[in-house]
Amino acid sequence: MASQQKNPVLSPYRCFDPEPSQREVALQLYSQVRDLPLICPHGHVDPRLLADPEARFGSPAELFVIPDHYILRMLYSQGVPMESLGVPTKDGTAVETDHRKIWQRFADHFYLFRGTPTGLWVQDELQSIFGIHQKLGQENAGAIYDRLVEQLSLPEYSPRALFRRFNIEVLCTTDAATDPLNLHRTIQQDGFPVRPTFRPDAVVNLDTEGWTWNIQRLSDASGIEVVDERTFLEALRQRRQHFKTLGATATDHAAPTAHTGRLGENERGSIFNRALRGQASAEDARRFTGHMLIEFAHMSAEDGLVMQLHIGSERNHNPQVFQRFGRDMGADLPRATEWTRNLRPLLDEVGNDSRLSVVLFTLDESTYSRELAPLAGHYPVLRLGPPWWFFDSVKGMECYLDQVVETAGIHNLAGFNDDTRAFASIPVRHDVWRRVSCNWLAAQVVRGLIDFEDAREMAAQLAYGLAKTTYRFTGGEA
Amino acid sequence: MASQQKNPVLSPYRCFDPEPSQREVALQLYSQVRDLPLICPHGHVDPRLLADPEARFGSPAELFVIPDHYILRMLYSQGVPMESLGVPTKDGTAVETDHRKIWQRFADHFYLFRGTPTGLWVQDELQSIFGIHQKLGQENAGAIYDRLVEQLSLPEYSPRALFRRFNIEVLCTTDAATDPLNLHRTIQQDGFPVRPTFRPDAVVNLDTEGWTWNIQRLSDASGIEVVDERTFLEALRQRRQHFKTLGATATDHAAPTAHTGRLGENERGSIFNRALRGQASAEDARRFTGHMLIEFAHMSAEDGLVMQLHIGSERNHNPQVFQRFGRDMGADLPRATEWTRNLRPLLDEVGNDSRLSVVLFTLDESTYSRELAPLAGHYPVLRLGPPWWFFDSVKGMECYLDQVVETAGIHNLAGFNDDTRAFASIPVRHDVWRRVSCNWLAAQVVRGLIDFEDAREMAAQLAYGLAKTTYRFTGGEA
Amino acid sequence: MASQQKNPVLSPYRCFDPEPSQREVALQLYSQVRDLPLICPHGHVDPRLLADPEARFGSPAELFVIPDHYILRMLYSQGVPMESLGVPTKDGTAVETDHRKIWQRFADHFYLFRGTPTGLWVQDELQSIFGIHQKLGQENAGAIYDRLVEQLSLPEYSPRALFRRFNIEVLCTTDAATDPLNLHRTIQQDGFPVRPTFRPDAVVNLDTEGWTWNIQRLSDASGIEVVDERTFLEALRQRRQHFKTLGATATDHAAPTAHTGRLGENERGSIFNRALRGQASAEDARRFTGHMLIEFAHMSAEDGLVMQLHIGSERNHNPQVFQRFGRDMGADLPRATEWTRNLRPLLDEVGNDSRLSVVLFTLDESTYSRELAPLAGHYPVLRLGPPWWFFDSVKGMECYLDQVVETAGIHNLAGFNDDTRAFASIPVRHDVWRRVSCNWLAAQVVRGLIDFEDAREMAAQLAYGLAKTTYRFTGGEA
């Protein structure tokens, strides 16, 4: 421990400004929120990790490299073939199977992540979870690999053990509308506060590959034969109820644009029928999604599920990568997003409904100050989600706080979520948010814009309170 | 006074960076501009406040809460009904009439404004105008209310007294083209430097509710019977002359987009006639506004009135709020704005006219560095207005200075304006601008990018000089 | 020398943060890269300056004022006629010919450049190249002019002497596809590492004035009679080979938008034939450029020339200025740019080609974090060019680093280039970049986000290595 303090790779002041008065206030604020339980209202942890007490994370390559699209995209951008990183191909072409080699390749290129959140996360995980206080690099990759392999085989590094150690108060997964949620039942029965989130994109986006098959599964799961738009809505309502019985408090919806617009009964019926016959056009799909967002907003007003909108990702931008490796390989790319006019039809119907809460996520930072903060600072139903994806980073968070708080305050924000499938990175991501937000508040304090007492309350809200209230987690979960 | 200094709610260093060398330079610069007279070339103060020597501000709720759309929107976004804040309904439904309760409700929710300019303004107004050195909150709301009531009844807290105390060198109101400006005459006769601003939106935007009635009033006011587009332009010219006789130096024009485009004589005549018959379409209105902006630019070149363009607000975004409460309730929302191509038709005609000055205001910060600074740094007629509306804030000002000065310098800026209907907030808003711009210049000094002597001159220009020259206030006014 | 150090106009710490710990780290990093040779992979230096050993820069007005569009635009925006600055008119109208007066006029208005990169560059050039340690102003303009005239006549201030003194390792010019490059041959024979860059815009953009004449010159230069689209491509390939024999490693392409899209064989043939007959429409031109960008990407994959895209400038926005003075007078204006969807057709074809490298430049800072960093952080062929044009500035660089590194790292960046026709400003511009990037890295170090060792390597990459590898300069040049 003493030697660790002598050679820390990670500074205890990391993310804080160097100016002594600000750093001091930041540290005071941070010390009060550092150990608060983690509220994880949106993420992509695989429930299988937690359903089986014997589950393990696998090799260091499986834990850190192969499933992480941040890592894959950076290495790929610098000419490292994804095959050489063990990413399975759709056609079964052979890929690297030696995980020690994959890890070495990652370490050889770890310099690429200097100045990126991935660099920070990985280094912090190695240190704070595995006690490895060295900078990962070409030379020590093998030794670190061996140590990680050893640790990962131990019960105290099992997903369930880390879940306890991470002090997670609640964790929400993201699940298809057709998911029976049996794993969630098991996990909950074993005392873990894990909740599902209703994400119906695969049955709502008419151009999803396999949509018709998804609809058949929806019929099966709901027990309602989906034969037209009316039964489709019924089946969705049934699934929402099922999700609620398993503790869901939220839904999630992704779309490339924020377009919303009500369709007439005939029109939406016709589109749905065309889709059932496999004849829906891209424009049909776009308009149907725009209509369904309004339908879902009404359902949320009725059943109380918080509605999340993740807008602006152009999925599978690289057709070669998609054809060879499939989804989530780092080839989803942001595009400019318009909110003010696109959301208007939805808000016209439900923008003032006190029962409803809609959380907005953007990949277009220029919309923070121009559209999102003004919208959330007026409409009772709107909250802003935290910086998303590429913006889950020190500068991303500072940009967000700089651009939204003056107009929307902090009480129209949804707190933090880690939005990750990389389970081991959860506490690190929350820690970065807590550090950055405390440092940001400290700047406000030393500039005389808020006082320390206010900053303390704001820090606790940003670290913990806002996520809990926004997502309607009430009472104890574990 | 001693105890006030011991427990100041507001730091004398507020808005300054904590780094000691920068803070010191900021303070030196600020101490030289702090007490300069206020130039207020654009705002929405009600002239009735100043026309009658006996006028008073009313209750603390009437002064601070009920007319302030920044406050209304934040409280509304957090579920506080506007009825409970005493905002009058259009249909006369009863609203809260107990102003003490309204004030208490505001104080109960004052924590929502932490980190917002409203929070800063209100706290500063309470302290610097009313000598209240406590943080407003649930407990002390009643006592503060009582104290304010007492003070507001005193002659030294009358609008005219505060006008003198604020050291306002010139204040411009914003007035309909049809306004007879009788109040301005009275105010001026009593020695107050208050000037009108010609804002013809209500007769130019064909889709304004009550447009035909407005045209009738225009005929009445101008003495020119408006029967077609030619007489319409004549009447507008007459009104501009009238405004000039009352000291106007500027016009103001608001539009959702920056579209400009000349219409042929037949076309604009036809559109105007359709409008007179109540048959103008939305597209007619859009194109007519785009044409009229060019007409007004020519008129300004001729009569010397500075032309202000406020672009990008989607008015009355929330139909429920509009139907129940009307305009200016915090439900106007910004949208993305394009300048480079939209302004081109106007600039093609008058962009190099040495007689003309056009001041541009945006709600889209992404256009500062991309379009506005490059435009203003080339076209002789263009000046950039200060950060507007949601951006009249510490971060908003810093973002503006960061993004425009490197390309446009400071001499293509229009200085500051408070743009407020909240009279008591005028000195506070100028003070924030003076503090932030001095701190920004201090950063330039301590980073060796400009020297102190230059910074001193720039500070005075930003605080005072640029507004005075841009708006062509020459000679003494009071 | 001693007195110079007592009264430095330029601080040795300029561009660095004032906070002592960050400043110290910045200085350490900077001291290691300050004297690295200059890699200048993109710029507009006139090869005639270097082809003749006897060439001189002319008067101070010719060196600093008359050809500098940054300076012309600022002075013009403040009402200084370009005629009074000696800018030649197209119709031969008389302009100021007394260069001493032009210099005085510039000095009289030098206060306009406070806080701008031009202000910094000019002051630094006067000091570091000419040893003039005074702030340029109205009073000392004449004396400084005389001193400059004297120095500029000396051999040690000739372009070739300064080239050696500046420690330029390689300098690329930008040249028309039709250029015979004879000057480059001469320059290289005399031992100067100057390379051409292939910029075919004048024969590719069908709406270029004089396009047909340019095509004729292309036939002449290539020896391939251009009679249709096939022979056009052949001629372009021939020219690329010629450029390569003279050391070119890159091409450059400018377009108002990033639109790319393949045209069918018949369609592009028809468009080209219409153009030959002088009948191409604006839409023809737009689509042909979008197609040709894809063709050029394929050619680059084949012949290894790095492809540069400069997107988003609306050229000659001010028709009066264009008609009177021609191009490059500061009247080119940026517009919003969309990359994610526009580049997709090009990337679909060659985005994963390991032979290809495409460097993107934008005038729309909002695309850094939203589109460019995510694109470059995934596609192997993409690199981001440094902050361009209006953004070649302290804040412009900080904004760029803040917004791209977290997503793309630094190894997807193309390093720095000065992009200037103002030869004397080359070392100053590199110096600003080196200072700002070292200060930026220092902030990362003192905030504990990277360690000093990493920062040192990153500083060297940003200052030198990335430009060298991106542009494929291998081995010694001089």
Short mmCIF file of all heavy atoms in Angstrom, two decimals, chain B residues 340-341 344 348 352 369-370 374-375 377-379 402 406 411-412 446-447 451 454 457, chain C residues 14-16 23 73 76-78 114 117 135 314 316-319 334 364-365 393 395 398:
data_model
loop_
_atom_site.label_atom_id
_atom_site.label_comp_id
_atom_site.label_asym_id
_atom_site.label_seq_id
_atom_site.Cartn_x
_atom_site.Cartn_y
_atom_site.Cartn_z
N THR B 340 -24.89 32.18 -43.44
CA THR B 340 -24.01 32.47 -44.58
C THR B 340 -24.78 32.56 -45.89
O THR B 340 -24.57 33.48 -46.68
CB THR B 340 -22.91 31.38 -44.67
OG1 THR B 340 -22.21 31.34 -43.43
CG2 THR B 340 -21.94 31.68 -45.80
N ARG B 341 -25.66 31.59 -46.11
CA ARG B 341 -26.41 31.65 -47.36
C ARG B 341 -27.68 32.49 -47.24
O ARG B 341 -28.09 33.15 -48.18
CB ARG B 341 -26.74 30.22 -47.84
CG ARG B 341 -25.54 29.60 -48.56
CD ARG B 341 -25.71 28.12 -48.74
NE ARG B 341 -25.64 27.45 -47.44
CZ ARG B 341 -26.04 26.21 -47.20
NH1 ARG B 341 -26.58 25.50 -48.17
NH2 ARG B 341 -25.93 25.67 -46.00
N ARG B 344 -27.15 36.25 -47.71
CA ARG B 344 -26.47 36.66 -48.93
C ARG B 344 -27.29 37.61 -49.81
O ARG B 344 -26.75 38.62 -50.29
CB ARG B 344 -26.04 35.41 -49.70
CG ARG B 344 -24.98 35.70 -50.71
CD ARG B 344 -24.25 34.45 -51.15
NE ARG B 344 -23.35 34.82 -52.22
CZ ARG B 344 -22.38 34.05 -52.68
NH1 ARG B 344 -22.19 32.86 -52.16
NH2 ARG B 344 -21.60 34.47 -53.65
N ASP B 348 -25.75 41.09 -50.73
CA ASP B 348 -25.47 41.40 -52.13
C ASP B 348 -25.91 42.82 -52.47
O ASP B 348 -25.28 43.51 -53.26
CB ASP B 348 -26.22 40.43 -53.07
CG ASP B 348 -25.49 39.10 -53.22
OD1 ASP B 348 -24.40 38.95 -52.65
OD2 ASP B 348 -26.03 38.22 -53.91
N ASN B 352 -21.94 46.38 -48.56
CA ASN B 352 -20.77 47.26 -48.59
C ASN B 352 -21.16 48.74 -48.44
O ASN B 352 -20.35 49.62 -48.70
CB ASN B 352 -20.02 47.06 -49.91
CG ASN B 352 -19.61 45.60 -50.12
OD1 ASN B 352 -18.65 45.14 -49.52
ND2 ASN B 352 -20.36 44.87 -50.93
N SER B 369 -18.52 30.99 -34.35
CA SER B 369 -17.21 30.87 -35.01
C SER B 369 -17.35 30.47 -36.47
O SER B 369 -16.51 30.78 -37.28
CB SER B 369 -16.34 29.84 -34.27
OG SER B 369 -16.84 28.53 -34.43
N ARG B 370 -18.44 29.76 -36.77
CA ARG B 370 -18.57 29.23 -38.14
C ARG B 370 -19.06 30.28 -39.11
O ARG B 370 -18.64 30.33 -40.25
CB ARG B 370 -19.55 28.06 -38.12
CG ARG B 370 -19.72 27.38 -39.46
CD ARG B 370 -20.69 26.22 -39.35
NE ARG B 370 -22.02 26.65 -38.98
CZ ARG B 370 -22.85 25.97 -38.18
NH1 ARG B 370 -22.47 24.83 -37.66
NH2 ARG B 370 -24.05 26.44 -37.90
N PRO B 374 -16.86 35.22 -38.95
CA PRO B 374 -16.33 35.44 -40.30
C PRO B 374 -17.12 36.48 -41.10
O PRO B 374 -16.53 37.30 -41.81
CB PRO B 374 -16.42 34.05 -40.95
CG PRO B 374 -16.30 33.10 -39.80
CD PRO B 374 -17.04 33.77 -38.67
N LEU B 375 -18.43 36.49 -40.99
CA LEU B 375 -19.23 37.49 -41.70
C LEU B 375 -18.92 38.90 -41.19
O LEU B 375 -18.66 39.82 -41.98
CB LEU B 375 -20.72 37.20 -41.53
CG LEU B 375 -21.33 36.08 -42.40
CD1 LEU B 375 -22.65 35.59 -41.82
CD2 LEU B 375 -21.52 36.55 -43.84
N GLY B 377 -16.38 39.90 -39.63
CA GLY B 377 -14.99 40.24 -39.85
C GLY B 377 -14.67 40.57 -41.31
O GLY B 377 -13.53 40.85 -41.64
N HIS B 378 -15.70 40.56 -42.14
CA HIS B 378 -15.50 40.98 -43.53
C HIS B 378 -16.43 42.11 -43.95
O HIS B 378 -15.99 43.12 -44.49
CB HIS B 378 -15.67 39.79 -44.48
CG HIS B 378 -15.82 40.22 -45.91
ND1 HIS B 378 -14.80 40.82 -46.61
CD2 HIS B 378 -16.88 40.21 -46.76
CE1 HIS B 378 -15.21 41.13 -47.83
NE2 HIS B 378 -16.47 40.78 -47.94
N TYR B 379 -17.72 41.93 -43.76
CA TYR B 379 -18.68 42.91 -44.27
C TYR B 379 -18.69 44.19 -43.45
O TYR B 379 -18.92 44.14 -42.23
CB TYR B 379 -20.09 42.31 -44.30
CG TYR B 379 -20.32 41.44 -45.51
CD1 TYR B 379 -20.27 40.05 -45.41
CD2 TYR B 379 -20.56 42.00 -46.76
CE1 TYR B 379 -20.47 39.24 -46.53
CE2 TYR B 379 -20.77 41.19 -47.88
CZ TYR B 379 -20.71 39.83 -47.76
OH TYR B 379 -20.91 39.05 -48.87
N ASP B 402 -14.72 33.72 -26.61
CA ASP B 402 -13.78 32.71 -27.11
C ASP B 402 -13.96 32.46 -28.60
O ASP B 402 -13.01 32.19 -29.31
CB ASP B 402 -14.04 31.36 -26.40
CG ASP B 402 -13.39 31.28 -25.04
OD1 ASP B 402 -12.62 32.18 -24.68
OD2 ASP B 402 -13.65 30.30 -24.32
N GLU B 406 -11.24 36.10 -31.95
CA GLU B 406 -10.07 35.75 -32.77
C GLU B 406 -10.32 36.04 -34.25
O GLU B 406 -9.39 36.39 -34.97
CB GLU B 406 -9.70 34.28 -32.57
CG GLU B 406 -9.09 34.02 -31.21
CD GLU B 406 -8.58 32.60 -31.07
OE1 GLU B 406 -9.20 31.68 -31.65
OE2 GLU B 406 -7.59 32.40 -30.38
N HIS B 411 -13.80 45.10 -32.43
CA HIS B 411 -14.42 46.29 -33.02
C HIS B 411 -15.54 45.97 -34.00
O HIS B 411 -16.21 46.87 -34.49
CB HIS B 411 -13.35 47.19 -33.62
CG HIS B 411 -12.54 47.87 -32.56
ND1 HIS B 411 -12.88 49.08 -32.01
CD2 HIS B 411 -11.43 47.47 -31.89
CE1 HIS B 411 -12.01 49.40 -31.07
NE2 HIS B 411 -11.11 48.45 -30.99
N ASN B 412 -15.75 44.69 -34.27
CA ASN B 412 -16.94 44.29 -35.02
C ASN B 412 -18.05 43.79 -34.09
O ASN B 412 -19.02 43.19 -34.55
CB ASN B 412 -16.57 43.22 -36.05
CG ASN B 412 -15.78 43.82 -37.21
OD1 ASN B 412 -16.24 44.78 -37.83
ND2 ASN B 412 -14.61 43.28 -37.48
N VAL B 446 -2.48 37.43 -19.01
CA VAL B 446 -1.54 36.55 -18.29
C VAL B 446 -1.05 35.41 -19.18
O VAL B 446 -0.03 34.77 -18.87
CB VAL B 446 -2.14 35.98 -16.98
CG1 VAL B 446 -2.37 37.11 -15.98
CG2 VAL B 446 -3.44 35.21 -17.25
N ARG B 447 -1.71 35.17 -20.28
CA ARG B 447 -1.18 34.19 -21.24
C ARG B 447 -0.30 34.88 -22.30
O ARG B 447 0.14 34.24 -23.24
CB ARG B 447 -2.33 33.43 -21.93
CG ARG B 447 -3.14 32.60 -20.95
CD ARG B 447 -4.17 31.76 -21.65
NE ARG B 447 -3.53 30.69 -22.41
CZ ARG B 447 -4.18 29.83 -23.17
NH1 ARG B 447 -5.50 29.92 -23.27
NH2 ARG B 447 -3.55 28.89 -23.84
N ASP B 451 -1.23 42.85 -24.22
CA ASP B 451 -0.61 43.44 -23.04
C ASP B 451 -1.67 44.19 -22.23
O ASP B 451 -2.81 44.38 -22.66
CB ASP B 451 0.61 44.30 -23.41
CG ASP B 451 0.24 45.50 -24.26
OD1 ASP B 451 -0.93 45.93 -24.24
OD2 ASP B 451 1.13 46.03 -24.94
N ASP B 454 -3.39 47.29 -23.82
CA ASP B 454 -4.43 46.93 -24.78
C ASP B 454 -5.69 46.44 -24.06
O ASP B 454 -6.81 46.81 -24.42
CB ASP B 454 -3.94 45.81 -25.71
CG ASP B 454 -2.96 46.33 -26.76
OD1 ASP B 454 -2.74 47.56 -26.82
OD2 ASP B 454 -2.41 45.50 -27.51
N GLU B 457 -7.89 49.26 -22.76
CA GLU B 457 -8.71 49.90 -23.79
C GLU B 457 -9.84 48.98 -24.26
O GLU B 457 -10.96 49.43 -24.49
CB GLU B 457 -7.83 50.29 -24.99
CG GLU B 457 -6.91 51.47 -24.68
CD GLU B 457 -6.11 51.90 -25.90
OE1 GLU B 457 -6.65 51.84 -27.03
OE2 GLU B 457 -4.95 52.30 -25.71
N ARG C 14 4.13 32.91 -23.48
CA ARG C 14 2.86 33.19 -24.16
C ARG C 14 2.16 31.91 -24.59
O ARG C 14 2.79 30.91 -24.92
CB ARG C 14 3.06 34.13 -25.34
CG ARG C 14 3.85 33.62 -26.48
CD ARG C 14 4.06 34.75 -27.51
NE ARG C 14 4.91 34.33 -28.58
CZ ARG C 14 6.23 34.24 -28.51
NH1 ARG C 14 6.85 34.55 -27.40
NH2 ARG C 14 6.93 33.83 -29.54
N CYS C 15 0.86 31.97 -24.55
CA CYS C 15 -0.05 30.86 -24.83
C CYS C 15 -0.19 29.89 -23.65
O CYS C 15 -1.09 29.06 -23.66
CB CYS C 15 0.33 30.05 -26.07
SG CYS C 15 0.53 31.04 -27.54
N PHE C 16 0.70 29.96 -22.66
CA PHE C 16 0.60 29.02 -21.55
C PHE C 16 -0.38 29.54 -20.51
O PHE C 16 -0.56 30.73 -20.33
CB PHE C 16 1.95 28.83 -20.86
CG PHE C 16 3.01 28.24 -21.75
CD1 PHE C 16 4.35 28.35 -21.40
CD2 PHE C 16 2.69 27.55 -22.92
CE1 PHE C 16 5.35 27.80 -22.21
CE2 PHE C 16 3.68 27.00 -23.73
CZ PHE C 16 5.01 27.13 -23.37
N ARG C 23 1.96 25.70 -16.11
CA ARG C 23 2.92 26.49 -16.88
C ARG C 23 4.29 25.82 -16.89
O ARG C 23 4.96 25.76 -17.92
CB ARG C 23 3.01 27.91 -16.29
CG ARG C 23 4.06 28.76 -16.94
CD ARG C 23 4.07 30.17 -16.39
NE ARG C 23 2.99 30.97 -16.97
CZ ARG C 23 2.97 32.30 -16.99
NH1 ARG C 23 3.97 32.99 -16.46
NH2 ARG C 23 1.97 32.95 -17.52
N ARG C 73 -9.39 41.55 -44.80
CA ARG C 73 -10.79 41.41 -44.39
C ARG C 73 -11.08 42.23 -43.12
O ARG C 73 -12.12 42.88 -43.02
CB ARG C 73 -11.18 39.95 -44.24
CG ARG C 73 -10.67 39.24 -43.02
CD ARG C 73 -10.86 37.71 -43.09
NE ARG C 73 -12.13 37.32 -43.65
CZ ARG C 73 -13.25 37.16 -42.95
NH1 ARG C 73 -13.25 37.40 -41.64
NH2 ARG C 73 -14.36 36.79 -43.51
N TYR C 76 -11.06 45.90 -44.07
CA TYR C 76 -12.24 46.19 -44.89
C TYR C 76 -13.51 46.21 -44.03
O TYR C 76 -14.39 47.06 -44.22
CB TYR C 76 -12.36 45.15 -46.00
CG TYR C 76 -13.46 45.46 -46.97
CD1 TYR C 76 -13.33 46.53 -47.87
CD2 TYR C 76 -14.63 44.71 -47.01
CE1 TYR C 76 -14.35 46.83 -48.76
CE2 TYR C 76 -15.65 45.01 -47.89
CZ TYR C 76 -15.50 46.07 -48.76
OH TYR C 76 -16.51 46.39 -49.65
N SER C 77 -13.60 45.30 -43.09
CA SER C 77 -14.80 45.23 -42.23
C SER C 77 -14.97 46.50 -41.42
O SER C 77 -16.07 46.81 -40.96
CB SER C 77 -14.72 44.03 -41.29
OG SER C 77 -13.89 44.31 -40.16
N GLN C 78 -13.87 47.23 -41.23
CA GLN C 78 -13.93 48.46 -40.44
C GLN C 78 -13.87 49.70 -41.33
O GLN C 78 -13.54 50.79 -40.88
CB GLN C 78 -12.81 48.48 -39.40
CG GLN C 78 -13.06 47.52 -38.25
CD GLN C 78 -14.16 48.01 -37.33
OE1 GLN C 78 -14.16 49.15 -36.88
NE2 GLN C 78 -15.14 47.15 -37.06
N ARG C 114 -5.99 43.15 -31.98
CA ARG C 114 -5.81 42.69 -30.60
C ARG C 114 -6.67 41.44 -30.36
O ARG C 114 -7.87 41.45 -30.63
CB ARG C 114 -6.28 43.78 -29.64
CG ARG C 114 -5.36 44.98 -29.58
CD ARG C 114 -6.03 46.09 -28.80
NE ARG C 114 -5.19 47.29 -28.77
CZ ARG C 114 -5.65 48.50 -28.47
NH1 ARG C 114 -6.93 48.68 -28.17
NH2 ARG C 114 -4.83 49.52 -28.46
N PRO C 117 -5.23 36.01 -34.07
CA PRO C 117 -3.96 35.38 -34.44
C PRO C 117 -3.10 36.30 -35.30
O PRO C 117 -1.88 36.30 -35.16
CB PRO C 117 -4.38 34.12 -35.20
CG PRO C 117 -5.84 34.21 -35.41
CD PRO C 117 -6.39 35.21 -34.46
N LYS C 135 5.92 47.45 -29.89
CA LYS C 135 4.55 47.21 -30.33
C LYS C 135 4.27 48.14 -31.50
O LYS C 135 4.40 49.36 -31.38
CB LYS C 135 3.60 47.48 -29.17
CG LYS C 135 2.20 47.03 -29.42
CD LYS C 135 1.43 46.84 -28.12
CE LYS C 135 0.90 48.17 -27.60
NZ LYS C 135 -0.02 47.97 -26.46
N GLU C 314 -17.59 28.87 -48.72
CA GLU C 314 -18.38 29.49 -49.79
C GLU C 314 -17.52 30.61 -50.37
O GLU C 314 -17.35 31.66 -49.74
CB GLU C 314 -19.69 30.03 -49.19
CG GLU C 314 -20.62 30.60 -50.20
CD GLU C 314 -22.01 29.96 -50.13
OE1 GLU C 314 -22.13 28.78 -49.74
OE2 GLU C 314 -22.98 30.66 -50.48
N ASN C 316 -15.97 33.64 -52.56
CA ASN C 316 -16.41 34.88 -53.20
C ASN C 316 -17.85 35.23 -52.85
O ASN C 316 -18.69 35.43 -53.71
CB ASN C 316 -16.24 34.76 -54.72
CG ASN C 316 -14.84 34.28 -55.07
OD1 ASN C 316 -13.87 34.83 -54.57
ND2 ASN C 316 -14.75 33.25 -55.87
N HIS C 317 -18.08 35.30 -51.56
CA HIS C 317 -19.43 35.56 -51.04
C HIS C 317 -19.87 36.98 -51.36
O HIS C 317 -21.07 37.24 -51.46
CB HIS C 317 -19.37 35.34 -49.52
CG HIS C 317 -20.69 35.26 -48.82
ND1 HIS C 317 -21.36 36.38 -48.41
CD2 HIS C 317 -21.45 34.20 -48.47
CE1 HIS C 317 -22.48 35.99 -47.80
NE2 HIS C 317 -22.57 34.69 -47.83
N ASN C 318 -18.91 37.86 -51.53
CA ASN C 318 -19.23 39.28 -51.74
C ASN C 318 -18.99 39.63 -53.21
O ASN C 318 -17.84 39.85 -53.63
CB ASN C 318 -18.32 40.13 -50.84
CG ASN C 318 -18.71 41.59 -50.82
OD1 ASN C 318 -19.21 42.11 -51.83
ND2 ASN C 318 -18.49 42.26 -49.70
N PRO C 319 -20.05 39.69 -54.02
CA PRO C 319 -19.84 39.87 -55.46
C PRO C 319 -19.17 41.19 -55.81
O PRO C 319 -18.39 41.25 -56.76
CB PRO C 319 -21.26 39.79 -56.03
CG PRO C 319 -22.18 40.03 -54.88
CD PRO C 319 -21.47 39.58 -53.66
N PRO C 334 -17.36 30.55 -44.34
CA PRO C 334 -17.68 29.17 -43.99
C PRO C 334 -19.19 28.91 -43.95
O PRO C 334 -19.98 29.83 -43.71
CB PRO C 334 -17.12 29.03 -42.57
CG PRO C 334 -16.21 30.17 -42.37
CD PRO C 334 -16.75 31.27 -43.23
N ASP C 364 -16.24 24.03 -39.78
CA ASP C 364 -17.42 23.93 -38.92
C ASP C 364 -17.00 23.18 -37.66
O ASP C 364 -17.00 21.94 -37.62
CB ASP C 364 -18.52 23.20 -39.67
CG ASP C 364 -19.81 23.09 -38.87
OD1 ASP C 364 -19.80 23.43 -37.67
OD2 ASP C 364 -20.82 22.66 -39.45
N GLU C 365 -16.66 23.95 -36.62
CA GLU C 365 -16.15 23.33 -35.39
C GLU C 365 -17.16 22.38 -34.75
O GLU C 365 -16.76 21.48 -34.01
CB GLU C 365 -15.76 24.42 -34.38
CG GLU C 365 -14.50 25.18 -34.75
CD GLU C 365 -14.15 26.25 -33.73
OE1 GLU C 365 -15.08 27.00 -33.33
OE2 GLU C 365 -12.99 26.34 -33.32
N SER C 393 -5.53 29.30 -34.58
CA SER C 393 -5.50 30.32 -33.53
C SER C 393 -5.44 29.60 -32.18
O SER C 393 -5.68 28.39 -32.11
CB SER C 393 -6.78 31.16 -33.59
OG SER C 393 -7.91 30.32 -33.33
N LYS C 395 -7.40 29.75 -29.44
CA LYS C 395 -8.67 29.13 -29.03
C LYS C 395 -9.09 28.06 -30.03
O LYS C 395 -9.71 27.05 -29.66
CB LYS C 395 -9.78 30.18 -28.96
CG LYS C 395 -9.52 31.30 -27.97
CD LYS C 395 -9.82 30.90 -26.56
CE LYS C 395 -9.60 32.08 -25.63
NZ LYS C 395 -9.54 31.66 -24.24
N GLU C 398 -7.23 24.96 -29.17
CA GLU C 398 -7.69 24.35 -27.92
C GLU C 398 -9.04 23.68 -28.11
O GLU C 398 -9.29 22.58 -27.60
CB GLU C 398 -7.75 25.41 -26.82
CG GLU C 398 -6.34 25.83 -26.39
CD GLU C 398 -6.28 26.98 -25.43
OE1 GLU C 398 -7.30 27.68 -25.27
OE2 GLU C 398 -5.19 27.20 -24.86
#
